[in-house]
Structure formats: structure tokens, C-alpha cells
Amino acid sequence: MHIKKGDTVYVNAGNDKGKTGKVLSVIPSENRAVVEGVNIVKKHTKPNAKQPQGGIIDQEAPVNVSNLQLIDPASGKPTRVGHKFVDGKKVRYAKKSGEEIK
């Protein structure tokens, strides 16, 4: 996958188009990622130890990775991601600037 946990991404489709956020988790089996502040849904919860009051909470729902683009570390703009081998290791790089992504 071209997206990993901790990456800063740009949403290029859907209700949250144009937003950026940090990837909180990735679900490779479903091709989805949870992004901070994107695709917020309301969840109804029963009272429990964590939420003694219960009620309605806002939380992020997964977004399809095809709707996300990585933010280029050099320019700060959305870019496509490529893969290449450097010293025998596979690394990701930004197609716009050619810079390696850490």
C-alpha cells in the first residue's frame, strides 16, 4: 500500500474533499485507512467503564485509500507514490519531487 500509519494525507474525493490529516491506522485487507478529522460519524454508546454516561460520540470512520494522496515532504502538495530499491531495500518516493519518503 502507498499509505502507512503516521503519514500526512490529502483527501481528493468524497464529503471531506480538500481536507488533510494524519493517518491513525491502516486496514490493508479492506484497502482502507482511518484519517484524523476526516469522515466523522456519530456512534451511539451504552454506558461502560470508559464512558459511564454513555451517549453519542463522534469518531473517525475508515476511508478508502484510493481517495487519499500522500503530501509531498518537499513541496507540501499532494503527490502520487512510487516504489524503488535503494541499497537493496524497497523505499517509497514522491513522484512530484522524487524525494524519498521516510
Side-chain angles (χ1 to χ4, degrees):
M1 289 185 66
H2 65 281
I3 303 290
K4 289 185 179 179
K5 182 179 175 179
D7 288 344
T8 304
V9 293
Y10 170 82
V11 181
N12 60 15
N15 291 340
D16 293 315
K17 182 177 181 176
K19 289 186 180 178
T20 59
K22 186 177 175 184
V23 176
L24 301 175
S25 67
V26 178
I27 310 162
S29 60
E30 297 177 21
N31 255 7
R32 293 181 161 270
V34 178
V35 182
E36 190 175 39
V38 174
N39 198 20
I40 302 292
V41 295
K42 300 216 180 272
K43 183 174 182 184
H44 297 69
T45 58
K46 283 185 167 181
N48 57 30
K50 208 174 194 181
Q51 292 271 337
Q53 191 67 30
I56 302 168
I57 58 168
D58 290 340
Q59 71 179 45
E60 292 94 354
V63 181
N64 199 298
V65 293
S66 65
N67 298 332
L68 303 174
Q69 278 189 303
L70 195 73
I71 297 291
D72 191 345
S75 67
K77 294 182 178 177
T79 182
R80 291 179 295 142
V81 177
H83 297 275
K84 63 183 175 183
F85 287 93
V86 176
D87 298 328
K89 288 191 173 185
K90 189 176 181 182
V91 296
R92 299 180 301 158
Y93 71 97
K95 292 263 188 167
K96 256 186 187 169
S97 64
E99 188 173 318
E100 196 174 303
I101 299 164
K102 302 290 185 235

